[in-house]
Amino acid sequence: MGDNIGASGSSTEDGGIKEQERLLPIANVGRIMKQILPPNAKISKEAKETMQECVSEFISFITSEASEKCKKERRKTVNGDDICWAIGTLGFDNYAGPLKRYLHKFREIEGDRANNQQEKAAGSNSNTEDQKEEPSLYVTDHHHNQPTRFSFNSMPY
């Protein structure tokens, strides 16, 4: 794959950003790909690079739509609700609902953590961290016909 964008880190786009900087790290992409495959499966470098380009483009596509919404509303910050809206608007309805639920649960847990931190600071000098279950998204793995748990807090990016 000689013309692969991921293979070239020195050329720049119109905005002066190195092409490699607009892509997710290939090691992270490979790690995520391996999670869904059997343990003995191998992934070619070409497959990782192709997926790297695809997911990076997808993220840019969604983020651009969310950013346009924010500009129309005269806001400067894109938030999780904007991303969920963009995903639904662009026709990825199967993902919008689960991501909205994930975002809601994530915010609940983060609120609980903040409250627990305040309580600890006010009432105790304990050095132990609060160990809470992180929110997860379950997606059906159609290849193996079983749900797969994706925990975004433990993802490497």
Side-chain angles (χ1 to χ4, degrees):
M1 208 168 175
D3 62 344
N4 186 316
I5 294 172
S8 170
S10 58
S11 61
T12 60
E13 294 180 21
D14 292 338
I17 298 171
K18 288 184 181 180
E19 290 182 25
Q20 189 64 32
E21 291 176 1
R22 74 171 185 81
L23 300 174
L24 293 173
I26 198 157
N28 296 356
V29 173
R31 197 173 308 118
I32 293 167
M33 290 172 74
K34 283 183 179 183
Q35 289 177 357
I36 198 71
L37 297 172
N40 60 345
K42 303 288 183 199
I43 305 170
S44 71
K45 181 179 178 186
E46 182 181 65
K48 290 177 189 176
E49 289 173 347
T50 300
M51 187 60 72
Q52 178 188 38
E53 290 182 44
C54 290
V55 298
S56 298
E57 185 65 29
F58 179 75
I59 290 169
S60 294
F61 181 54
I62 299 297
T63 304
S64 176
E65 187 71 17
S67 179
E68 285 299 315
K69 176 183 187 269
C70 291
K71 283 181 187 173
K72 288 178 185 175
E73 296 175 0
R74 298 178 186 214
R75 293 186 292 119
K76 293 184 178 184
T77 303
V78 175
N79 62 39
D81 294 316
D82 299 321
I83 298 297
C84 291
W85 173 87
I87 288 171
T89 298
L90 294 169
F92 299 101
D93 300 324
N94 292 343
Y95 299 101
L99 285 172
K100 285 178 190 175
R101 289 190 296 275
Y102 170 82
L103 182 60
H104 178 73
K105 185 170 183 165
F106 176 80
R107 287 175 175 162
E108 281 181 353
I109 289 172
E110 287 298 304
D112 290 346
R113 282 188 184 150
N115 290 337
N116 288 339
Q117 293 286 335
Q118 290 173 350
E119 289 172 8
K120 278 184 178 181
S124 128
N125 290 332
S126 171
N127 288 335
T128 60
E129 283 267 331
D130 186 18
Q131 298 292 324
K132 288 226 177 233
E133 171 105 10
E134 59 191 24
S136 303
L137 174 66
Y138 286 87
V139 178
T140 301
D141 173 4
H142 296 288
H143 180 68
H144 296 99
N145 206 14
Q146 61 186 4
T148 301
R149 178 178 182 247
F150 289 96
S151 175
F152 292 97
N153 289 346
S154 62
M155 287 203 172
Y157 51 85

